[in-house]
Amino acid sequence: MAISERKKKILIAVVEEYIRTAEPVGSKHIAEHAKLGCSSATIRNELAELVNLGYLEQPHTSAGRVPTPMGYRMYVNDMMERQHLGMQENEELNRRLSQRLQELDDSICEVSRLVSQLTDYPALAVTHQAAVTIRRFDVIYVDANTFILVVLLSNNAVKNKLVHLPISVDQSMVQKLSTLFNANFTGIGEEQMTPVLIHSIERAADDTMGLSAVIAAFAIEVLSDSAIPAAVITGENRLLNQPEFRDPDKAHALMSYLSGGGHILPPTDSLAPNDVKVLIGPENVAEELKNSSVIVASYDAGDGTKGLIGVVGPTRMDYSAVAAKLSALAAGLSRRLGGGEAPPEGMHNKLIIKGDEPDGR
């Protein structure tokens, strides 16, 4: 619903003051700081109308107003000034990012920690690879009761398994199975590894001992595991720094959800690289996040791998500042991991602010 320019200015004043103080905002403060050129009585009437429209609420009869999720959404969609980091801030962020990625192999953990440190909110990082297939099988004969399975994946990862058999098998059978699996099980997805295909290999190898099923089960397990996104959550205790979570029960409930691996980010395929998305309160799917907001940014991690970084915090979040930091981090990750081009310094990544619809401006 369209609202007047004066109402917009009042809503901006309430949102930005509430973000700064976490205290309800009264008409006196707005009259003194918003420079609207109207009386306090007019401002009180406008505040009352914004409450009736659903953009603000009044916690107590004598208290000022605070934004509702609908008010925050209006602010983020139409009123928020898009921030970007200055040159010095960008250089410092990129220096810290490069240092983290060079010093430690487990980069996703370090990225999550860095996001949490920069925003002072709990942070989550996710990487998800494009569909992985098996490039090569090696079935290595050890002795009559033992062989080793080795598979090389399309992302160059190598998985292996030592198989002990209760029966004896000769080396020629192992070699035959290796040849058949390389001919029939490479370059295909898990869903194509059907019982019919497995039975055809059993017949071709004259396998009456169930060895084909053992090898196929390992292949399916490897591909299934590779499809699970790697996710790390850090900084859950930073919620305690926020006034909204001074209530121990409220803080504990959300911290337990996050610590238990609670899902806060949308699917990695819902955002293109260098997009930023804001989810406010009830827009989040999980019930535990209905009173929180989530901001996420996507990046290209190279080799068909996509990633997301995000933070979760109170709805009283400085959306513009957090989005700017996540955008800069995502751009840096795309440059370093994906080898692609990120937006030029000073340019905003695309901010998706309303469901899955891009910002049309």
Side-chain angles (χ1 to χ4, degrees):
M1 177 184 295
I3 61 175
S4 68
E5 287 302 312
R6 185 163 62 195
K7 284 186 175 64
K8 286 182 180 180
K9 290 179 181 179
I10 290 174
L11 181 57
I12 290 170
V14 173
V15 170
E16 294 184 349
E17 180 65 9
Y18 188 62
I19 286 173
R20 189 180 70 83
T21 66
E23 296 291 339
V25 182
S27 57
K28 182 179 179 182
H29 172 86
I30 296 171
E32 291 174 353
H33 296 89
K35 299 179 182 179
L36 296 174
C38 58
S39 67
S40 294
T42 299
I43 293 173
R44 285 194 294 273
N45 289 335
E46 295 281 37
L47 286 170
E49 287 190 36
L50 286 168
V51 170
N52 290 334
L53 290 170
Y55 294 110
L56 299 176
E57 61 184 353
Q58 192 170 19
H60 308 288
T61 304
S62 59
R65 273 68 170 186
V66 300
T68 63
M70 183 176 165
Y72 282 121
R73 174 51 66 198
M74 170 71 80
Y75 173 78
V76 170
N77 279 18
D78 300 324
M79 306 169 186
M80 181 178 76
E81 180 181 352
R82 306 284 192 263
Q83 292 188 31
H84 62 272
L85 302 186
M87 184 178 295
Q88 189 172 357
E89 290 176 296
N90 258 310
E91 289 175 353
E92 173 62 16
L93 182 147
N94 283 311
R95 183 192 65 79
R96 294 177 65 178
L97 183 59
S98 296
Q99 184 180 44
R100 292 298 181 95
L101 295 181
Q102 288 171 3
E103 289 180 353
L104 291 156
D105 292 332
D106 198 357
S107 59
I108 187 173
C109 293
E110 289 309 300
V111 168
S112 180
R113 290 191 187 99
L114 181 56
V115 172
S116 184
Q117 290 170 5
L118 290 171
T119 61
D120 202 28
Y121 291 120
L124 186 146
V126 174
T127 57
H128 189 280
Q129 293 183 330
V132 174
T133 60
I134 294 174
R135 185 179 296 170
R136 190 181 77 232
F137 279 88
D138 286 309
V139 187
I140 304 170
Y141 181 85
V142 177
D143 58 41
N145 300 101
T146 312
F147 63 86
I148 300 172
L149 291 174
V150 182
V151 295
L152 172 65
L153 301 179
S154 56
N155 62 0
N156 294 320
V158 177
K159 305 293 182 180
N160 61 75
K161 179 179 183 178
L162 181 64
V163 179
H164 295 287
L165 301 171
I167 54 176
S168 297
V169 60
D170 59 45
Q171 189 168 1
S172 62
M173 171 62 80
V174 170
Q175 292 172 342
K176 186 185 296 184
L177 288 170
S178 183
T179 300
L180 287 168
F181 270 90
N182 274 298
N184 296 278
F185 263 65
T186 53
I188 63 173
E190 176 188 349
E191 70 283 354
Q192 295 171 279
M193 298 180 178
T194 62
V196 172
L197 182 59
I198 298 169
H199 292 329
S200 69
I201 290 181
E202 287 177 337
R203 290 194 300 270
D206 195 21
D207 173 18
T208 59
M209 298 175 286
L211 302 180
S212 302
V214 171
I215 299 172
F218 176 62
I220 292 170
E221 178 185 353
V222 166
L223 294 186
S224 178
D225 289 346
S226 69
I228 300 172
V232 175
I233 296 177
T234 57
E236 300 93 327
N237 61 336
R238 292 180 186 272
L239 286 173
L240 300 175
N241 298 334
Q242 305 299 324
E244 291 85 346
F245 295 99
R246 286 174 183 155
D247 179 344
D249 292 336
K250 188 175 180 180
H252 177 73
L254 184 53
M255 288 173 67
S256 296
Y257 176 72
L258 297 177
S259 299
H263 173 76
I264 70 169
L265 299 184
T268 51
D269 58 2
S270 67
L271 290 175
N274 300 321
D275 282 353
V276 177
K277 186 172 186 176
V278 178
L279 299 170
I280 299 172
E283 296 170 1
N284 289 288
V285 175
E287 186 64 33
E288 292 85 351
L289 298 174
K290 295 301 185 184
N291 295 314
S292 304
S293 285
V294 173
I295 303 180
V296 299
S298 65
Y299 64 92
D300 174 13
D303 296 325
T305 301
K306 297 171 67 176
L308 292 178
I309 51 175
V311 300
V312 58
T315 52
R316 182 197 56 83
M317 186 188 294
D318 191 341
Y319 296 96
S320 186
V322 173
K325 290 177 181 178
L326 290 180
S327 177
L329 269 172
L333 286 165
S334 289
R335 282 194 297 269
R336 283 161 179 76
L337 301 178
E341 292 188 4
E345 298 294 343
M347 295 292 290
H348 296 292
N349 290 346
K350 183 166 62 177
L351 179 61
I352 296 179
I353 52 180
K354 191 173 184 180
D356 290 326
E357 300 171 8
D359 185 359
R361 287 172 293 166

